[in-house]
Amino acid sequence: MTNKKNTGSYYTPKILSEFLSKHIVQKYLNESNISILEPSCGDGEFVSSLFNHLDLNRVENISIDLFDINKIELDKAGAFIPLSDKISKGLHHQDYLKYYLENDNEYSLIIGNPPYIKRKSLQKSQLKSCDEVHKIFRDSNELITSNGKVNNIWIAFVEAAIMSLNQNGILCFVIPSEVLQVKYAKELRALIINKFDRVEVFAFNELIFEGIQQDVVVLIGVKGIDNINEHGFSFYQVDELEDLKEPKFTEKHSNIHRTTLDKWTNYILTDEELDFIDTHRNEYNPILHYCDNAQVGIVSAANDYFILNNDDLKENQLNKLKNIVQPILPKGDVTPNIAFFNKDDYETLKNKNKNVNFLHFPDKPKEQFGKIAKKYFSIGEEWKEDKKGELHKRYKMLKRNNWYHVPSVWSSEGMFVKRSHLYPRIFVNDADVLATDSFYRINTKEQFCIKKLVFSFYNSLTFVLAELEGRFYGGGVLELTPNEFKYLSIPYSDNISDEQFYILDKMLRDNIDIEDILSFTNSILIPHLNTIKLEEIRVKLVNRRIKKTTKNQDIDVEIFSLEQQQIEDLGQSVLVS
């Protein structure tokens, strides 16, 4: 597989293109006159695989259009099309979206792996095409009511493809797994259900693109199926790509009818499991009930410039500006595993020469600063080959009165780590440090306690909800948006003692297994719930997210429990320390 980062192209593995082509041809492609579109053909894996399985003796005519902005790859893909009087081909060395806007061709099969490019990385012409496609899509479909813009180019490719299918058309795309979960794709999910008689989603328990952390799924949509018994929606789980050679995959649960816990990523759970979770989450208030705010941390727009280690401070003599340098946590992975972040923890990071010094320059003209600050401003304004210079010309800097003054700088009682791995993390900010936008800043309402809020977060129900309401990316990263975090239900308890809190903190610092930690906290917070069932659900969701197959499960489904003597021993060591 070749990775073309600049074009957002990640080429499809041969095993996958062979399986999908055979699956489509044998199960759904029944017309004698077939029109095919591959809107981003790359090196032609899908083209090659399709003609490996199409029987030219059973069709009257095949027309195929291939598109790619890379002429060499386009010609390579075109070479896979057999020479036959039954086949007419069009090789288009151009952007498919632009072509779509100027033509109204319809196809019986649209297959491929569209490019994945975030909006901020798109060229102006691509942005224009994406927005125009989305406007046509929105105007022609009542289910699309929001005025949001296309966040990634693959969405525009899916929209254009849906509008380009004939009445019996088939869509088969390899696209980011975001389609299953993110809010901006919610209307698209609803429309897919509405437009197709049958929908199939194949998800993978491994990353299928070598060298990149991009999690993908296969989306197949089929129109014009006469037999109503063949209508429906199916989720399939593939443990390993090699399994498709047999083929071997597991059908999961279709929960698309749900109005709560309705992300498509929840296919791994049964309706009964989702109802069980839904019932219990409604017994508790969301985090928002206990907090005055839960806001994104500081956005400096240039962390490398504003957040330095001790050596960089000294090199630029900025350590002399005591009133400007403030403590900060830059990333979640810098933060130790704790429930209580204190000044000793911060000093440890500082002594390890981590980037934990934030430069908070006052909002005043340059002329009012001394030589050290002025010199550092000049460094920021210099042009650099790596494009990290000329900070004063950046979009967010231009919106400030003075580009070097970072706004919204304040510390909070507690912090939630925006992205996590095995489980979500939250802690008390006893050191009173600042935080970047890798964290959400939390202040509790007057009648509540931040320590008790943090302790109450560590339970199996809230962790399960974080898995269901958040989104995950390649590499197993779990991310929650501010709203997703704020609306997590939490069994807040006002009866948490200091000793219980510090036992939790010590368990986290000692890297005790999360199963043991939850066994301890569950017994205090949710003793009346079926925590064994909750843990089975949580482990199932975590294993799916971090791509642990049934053949190689890293997290055991066994439910651990701390003996009372172990808890007492932990309590004694906390009291002694």
Side-chain angles (χ1 to χ4, degrees):
M1 183 207 68
T2 305
N3 174 9
K4 300 189 299 178
K5 290 185 179 178
N6 293 336
T7 57
S9 301
Y10 305 109
Y11 291 167
T12 309
K14 187 69 175 176
I15 294 174
L16 183 57
S17 66
E18 282 290 320
F19 164 75
L20 292 175
S21 297
K22 183 178 180 180
H23 183 69
I24 294 293
V25 169
Q26 292 185 352
K27 196 170 183 180
Y28 297 121
L29 198 59
N30 303 315
E31 296 182 358
S32 57
N33 291 296
I34 302 170
S35 52
I36 302 170
L37 166 67
E38 222 290 27
S40 55
C41 63
D43 59 358
E45 285 292 3
F46 272 115
V47 181
S48 171
S49 295
L50 270 174
F51 284 102
N52 284 343
H53 296 285
L54 278 169
D55 184 354
L56 295 184
N57 295 320
R58 298 180 60 183
V59 298
E60 294 181 10
N61 177 65
I62 297 175
S63 65
I64 181 167
D65 284 326
L66 307 183
F67 288 80
D68 205 276
I69 58 175
N70 185 318
K71 183 68 164 61
I72 294 174
E73 302 288 20
L74 178 65
D75 290 340
K76 190 190 299 183
F80 288 119
I81 301 174
L83 294 174
S84 170
D85 292 339
K86 292 184 176 183
I87 301 174
S88 59
K89 65 180 180 181
L91 304 185
H92 307 273
H93 178 217
Q94 68 177 104
D95 181 352
Y96 167 68
L97 294 182
K98 190 171 184 230
Y99 177 89
Y100 165 79
L101 291 167
E102 296 169 354
N103 297 271
D104 56 0
N105 297 354
E106 290 190 346
Y107 300 90
S108 47
L109 171 63
I110 301 178
I111 190 169
N113 177 10
Y116 319 147
I117 311 174
K118 292 182 179 179
R119 186 176 183 85
K120 65 181 181 181
S121 300
L122 291 172
Q123 300 172 5
K124 286 184 179 179
S125 60
Q126 291 174 315
L127 278 172
K128 186 173 182 291
S129 295
C130 283
D131 289 342
E132 288 182 17
V133 168
H134 186 58
K135 184 179 186 307
I136 295 170
F137 191 67
R138 185 181 64 231
D139 292 347
S140 61
N141 294 289
E142 293 180 357
L143 289 173
I144 308 297
T145 57
S146 66
N147 293 317
K149 295 183 177 180
V150 170
N151 289 51
N152 197 304
I153 197 171
W154 68 262
I155 296 177
F157 269 76
V158 173
E159 292 175 342
I162 290 174
M163 293 187 287
S164 298
L165 288 170
N166 64 25
Q167 61 183 3
N168 298 313
I170 304 162
L171 172 68
C172 178
F173 269 176
V174 180
I175 54 178
S177 61
E178 299 162 28
V179 70
L180 306 181
Q181 55 188 336
V182 294
K183 187 176 180 181
Y184 62 75
K186 186 172 184 178
E187 290 180 333
L188 180 59
R189 294 195 293 268
L191 190 128
I192 287 169
I193 295 168
N194 179 264
K195 285 287 184 182
F196 295 102
D197 295 324
R198 176 153 185 79
V199 177
E200 297 177 349
V201 173
F202 289 82
F204 304 90
N205 264 348
E206 65 177 359
L207 298 173
I208 68 171
F209 293 144
E210 297 174 8
I212 61 163
Q213 298 294 306
Q214 177 64 63
D215 193 16
V216 298
V217 297
V218 172
L219 172 67
I220 297 175
V222 186
K223 298 168 67 176
I225 298 179
D226 294 330
N227 187 350
I228 197 167
N229 293 323
E230 295 178 6
H231 290 197
F233 200 116
S234 295
F235 286 98
Y236 300 104
Q237 190 81 26
V238 181
D239 273 353
E240 297 177 358
L241 205 56
E242 290 287 326
D243 291 343
L244 292 179
K245 289 181 177 179
E246 297 187 34
K248 176 185 174 185
F249 45 84
T250 307
E251 184 164 7
K252 293 296 184 178
H253 313 284
S254 176
N255 299 309
I256 59 170
H257 57 280
R258 298 188 65 88
T259 55
T260 60
L261 300 176
D262 59 346
K263 290 185 177 182
W264 284 4
T265 41
N266 299 348
Y267 65 84
I268 199 168
L269 301 182
T270 66
D271 249 348
E272 187 273 332
E273 287 172 321
L274 289 169
D275 287 339
F276 169 76
I277 296 162
D278 221 6
T279 298
H280 289 305
R281 81 164 175 177
N282 291 328
E283 295 174 7
Y284 302 103
N285 290 315
I287 289 172
L288 185 63
H289 176 80
Y290 305 100
C291 296
D292 278 326
N293 52 39
Q295 295 181 12
V296 174
I298 296 166
V299 180
S300 75
N303 282 355
D304 290 344
Y305 180 83
F306 289 105
I307 302 176
L308 307 178
N309 58 37
N310 285 352
D311 290 348
D312 291 333
L313 279 181
K314 291 175 183 176
E315 182 181 336
N316 293 282
Q317 298 186 334
L318 293 163
N319 58 312
K320 297 178 180 180
L321 307 181
K322 303 293 186 186
N323 59 327
I324 286 176
V325 181
Q326 297 185 25
I328 194 169
L329 291 177
K331 294 180 181 178
D333 58 11
V334 170
T335 313
N337 212 21
I338 39 88
F340 189 78
F341 186 80
N342 57 41
K343 291 183 179 179
D344 288 342
D345 295 319
Y346 174 73
E347 288 302 321
T348 299
L349 294 176
K350 198 172 180 182
N351 292 334
K352 289 181 179 178
N353 208 34
K354 299 292 185 181
N355 290 20
V356 290
N357 301 290
F358 174 65
L359 303 176
H360 190 210
F361 295 105
D363 194 10
K364 62 183 184 181
K366 289 182 194 175
E367 296 75 29
Q368 296 182 25
F369 287 91
K371 290 182 180 179
I372 295 174
K374 286 179 180 176
K375 183 179 179 181
Y376 196 64
F377 295 156
S378 297
I379 292 172
E381 293 174 354
E382 288 174 356
W383 179 85
K384 295 179 182 177
E385 288 187 9
D386 60 5
K387 297 183 180 179
K388 290 186 177 181
E390 297 187 312
L391 300 182
H392 60 301
K393 294 183 179 179
R394 292 187 182 180
Y395 174 73
K396 287 183 179 177
M397 309 294 194
L398 292 171
K399 296 178 72 175
R400 300 172 183 172
N401 293 330
N402 296 287
W403 69 264
Y404 43 79
H405 172 73
V406 179
S408 186
V409 174
W410 50 272
S411 60
S412 57
E413 288 183 304
M415 296 185 198
F416 175 77
V417 183
K418 176 182 176 181
R419 290 177 177 166
S420 56
H421 184 49
L422 291 181
Y423 54 88
R425 299 166 57 204
I426 187 173
F427 57 89
V428 175
N429 179 22
D430 186 65
D432 197 33
V433 298
L434 302 171
T436 67
D437 55 351
S438 291
F439 303 83
Y440 300 148
R441 296 174 283 186
I442 311 161
N443 286 320
T444 53
K445 294 177 180 176
E446 187 176 347
Q447 65 269 39
F448 302 114
C449 169
I450 187 63
K451 281 186 183 179
K452 293 173 182 178
L453 179 75
V454 167
F455 187 97
S456 300
F457 185 88
Y458 282 88
N459 69 89
S460 295
L461 177 61
T462 301
F463 275 26
V464 164
L465 290 171
E467 296 288 342
L468 292 174
E469 298 290 11
R471 68 279 314 278
F472 57 89
Y473 300 100
V477 174
L478 172 66
E479 177 181 311
L480 280 88
T481 66
N483 276 340
E484 287 165 348
F485 166 67
K486 286 187 286 190
Y487 284 98
L488 291 179
S489 294
I490 180 173
Y492 180 90
S493 173
D494 205 34
N495 299 317
I496 305 302
S497 68
D498 284 345
E499 182 180 351
Q500 289 170 330
F501 179 83
Y502 288 115
I503 288 174
L504 170 62
D505 183 60
K506 183 168 180 13
M507 293 176 83
L508 288 167
R509 289 177 184 274
D510 290 347
N511 290 315
I512 302 295
D513 287 339
I514 189 60
E515 289 83 5
D516 284 339
I517 294 173
L518 292 175
S519 178
F520 166 60
T521 55
N522 286 344
S523 67
I524 297 167
L525 296 168
I526 49 175
H528 63 292
L529 297 189
N530 185 346
T531 53
I532 291 179
K533 184 171 184 176
L534 278 172
E535 272 297 276
E536 289 173 345
I537 292 171
R538 184 188 69 82
V539 169
K540 192 188 299 187
L541 291 168
V542 172
N543 280 341
R544 185 272 311 271
R545 173 167 58 82
I546 64 176
K547 300 298 180 190
K548 292 296 177 184
T549 70
T550 53
K551 299 177 183 177
N552 180 30
Q553 286 201 352
D554 197 37
I555 297 178
D556 201 334
V557 179
E558 178 185 355
I559 307 303
F560 298 91
S561 62
L562 279 179
E563 297 294 336
Q564 184 61 33
Q565 185 60 49
Q566 290 177 276
I567 296 173
E568 289 174 1
D569 290 345
L570 276 167
Q572 287 297 323
S573 71
V574 167
L575 290 173
V576 169
S577 63

